[in-house]
């Protein structure tokens, strides 16, 4: 099925030991799946595989759908933008993807720890602020604008 990446084959079959599956490997498997399949298919397959692995390991920390989908989205977006030929090139271009806390730019920790976030996919709770823009200035930009309607 994936002769060029035997680890992906083992991942899809649920043969990966969760105690030896750090965040970097999650990102690598996501990258490898996204190279080969449509994004929507990957969300389903990746999520299903992680849940099966967690159940098999009787994990006290079940998989989190929001985290899974958010990371898949970020990885896919970056892959579309730069077309990295392999995982090593992808990591060189996007080292932030190896940081488990990368989602903190968009999600509050309390939001990600909810049962809803684990079972479903929550929309981000934080707006990403442009670099160098202070909160006060950002709020001023978002102030309501009154529009005069023609009579």
């Amino acid at each position: 099925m994936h002769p060029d990446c035997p680890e992906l084959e083992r991942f899809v079959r649920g043969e990966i030991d969760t105690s030896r599956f750090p965040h970097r490997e999650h990102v690598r498997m996501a990258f490898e799946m996204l190279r080969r399949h449509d994004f929507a298919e990957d969300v389903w397959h990746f999520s299903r595989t992680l849940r099966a692995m967690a159940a098999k390991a009787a994990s006290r920390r079940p998989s989190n759908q929001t985290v899974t989908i958010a990371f898949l989205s970020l990885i896919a977006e970056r892959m579309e933008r730069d077309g990295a030929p392999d995982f090593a090139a992808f990591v060189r271009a996007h080292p932030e993807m190896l940081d488990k806390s990368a989602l903190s730019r968009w999600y509050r920790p309390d939001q990600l720890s909810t049962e809803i976030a684990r079972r479903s996919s929550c929309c981000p709770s934080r707006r990403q602020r442009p670099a160098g823009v202070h909160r006060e200035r950002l709020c001023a930009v978002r102030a309501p604008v009154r529009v005069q309607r023609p009579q």
Side-chain angles (χ1 to χ4, degrees):
M1 186 169 158
H2 307 290
D4 61 327
C5 186
E7 296 89 356
L8 180 57
E9 184 69 29
R10 291 182 54 236
F11 172 72
V12 171
R13 288 193 313 250
E15 298 172 355
I16 302 289
D17 178 358
T18 57
S19 67
R20 294 185 176 150
F21 193 61
H23 178 70
R24 179 186 183 88
E25 286 303 293
H26 280 79
V27 174
R28 187 167 72 96
M29 292 300 103
F31 176 86
E32 294 298 340
M33 286 182 88
L34 287 162
R35 284 178 63 193
R36 294 162 172 81
H37 305 287
D38 174 74
F39 176 76
E41 290 175 32
D42 280 346
V43 168
W44 186 78
H45 286 291
F46 198 85
S47 174
R48 191 175 117 203
T49 300
L50 287 181
R51 286 182 295 181
M53 287 170 59
K56 183 177 175 182
S59 176
R60 291 182 308 210
R61 271 189 27 172
S63 64
N64 184 309
Q65 294 290 78
T66 301
V67 170
T68 299
I69 294 168
F71 265 106
L72 284 170
S73 297
L74 291 172
I75 294 164
E77 177 186 0
R78 282 153 178 74
M79 288 174 71
E80 287 290 328
R81 272 198 261 133
D82 70 16
D86 56 36
F87 185 66
F90 177 79
V91 169
R92 280 193 302 277
H94 304 288
E96 74 278 5
M97 291 292 91
L98 299 183
D99 180 0
K100 286 176 80 168
S101 67
L103 297 182
S104 66
R105 293 175 67 185
W106 298 278
Y107 293 92
R108 295 182 328 270
D110 62 308
Q111 182 184 18
L112 291 177
S113 66
T114 65
E115 188 60 29
I116 293 170
R118 282 190 285 278
R119 285 194 331 258
S120 186
S121 180
C122 299
C123 292
S125 57
R126 293 181 175 168
R127 289 182 184 257
Q128 185 177 0
R129 205 176 297 157
V133 175
H134 298 286
R135 184 180 188 287
E136 296 77 24
R137 187 169 157 219
L138 186 63
C139 291
V141 170
R142 292 187 302 168
V145 177
R146 293 187 182 202
V147 178
Q148 295 282 335
R149 293 195 176 136
Q151 297 184 6

